[in-house]
Amino acid sequence: MTDAGRGTRPATLGALLDELAPRLPDVRTARAGARAEWSRGGVAFAAIDDDALEVRLDGPVAAAALRTPDTSEASRGRPWVRFAPPELDDHAIDRATAWFELAYRRAAAT
């Protein structure tokens, strides 16, 4: 993932999601300070707070995600997953991007 095609890596998860969200139709963003929540069709599918991403995934995908580094159960309960990588490297960017897009697609089916 690059910042607007310039070849730079987003500095934070928030910057990454701000780059991804406009590319997806029907996404709404609600912000309150450093917090943001993304929804589709009135269904929340992702949120960020303190530079940790929470995404609403399908049960089996959430279970698999919880077996990867830097993840834990989200305060929202299952099937939400919290992702808080200490560094936003290529692997973290790939996981955050994939989970954000999966959660977006799941919201349409809800």
Side-chain angles (χ1 to χ4, degrees):
M1 177 61 54
T2 61
D3 182 21
R6 292 188 295 267
T8 58
R9 179 182 295 161
T12 65
L13 280 170
L16 173 65
L17 301 179
D18 285 342
E19 187 178 310
L20 291 173
R23 299 177 187 175
L24 303 172
D26 304 321
V27 170
R28 301 277 186 253
T29 306
R31 294 191 184 278
R35 298 178 184 173
E37 182 175 272
W38 291 269
S39 62
R40 181 180 188 189
V43 177
F45 68 87
I48 194 161
D49 185 12
D50 297 327
D51 223 21
L53 170 64
E54 292 189 351
V55 287
R56 185 172 181 239
L57 302 171
D58 287 323
V61 176
L66 287 170
R67 293 190 300 268
T68 63
D70 309 316
T71 61
S72 61
E73 288 189 29
S75 61
R76 297 168 185 249
R78 289 187 180 209
W80 287 82
V81 173
R82 182 174 178 84
F83 180 52
E87 176 186 0
L88 195 59
D89 61 13
D90 289 341
H91 297 289
I93 290 170
D94 287 347
R95 280 185 274 161
T97 299
W99 292 338
F100 186 81
E101 291 174 349
L102 281 170
Y104 163 80
R105 287 193 296 274
R106 183 183 192 279
T110 303

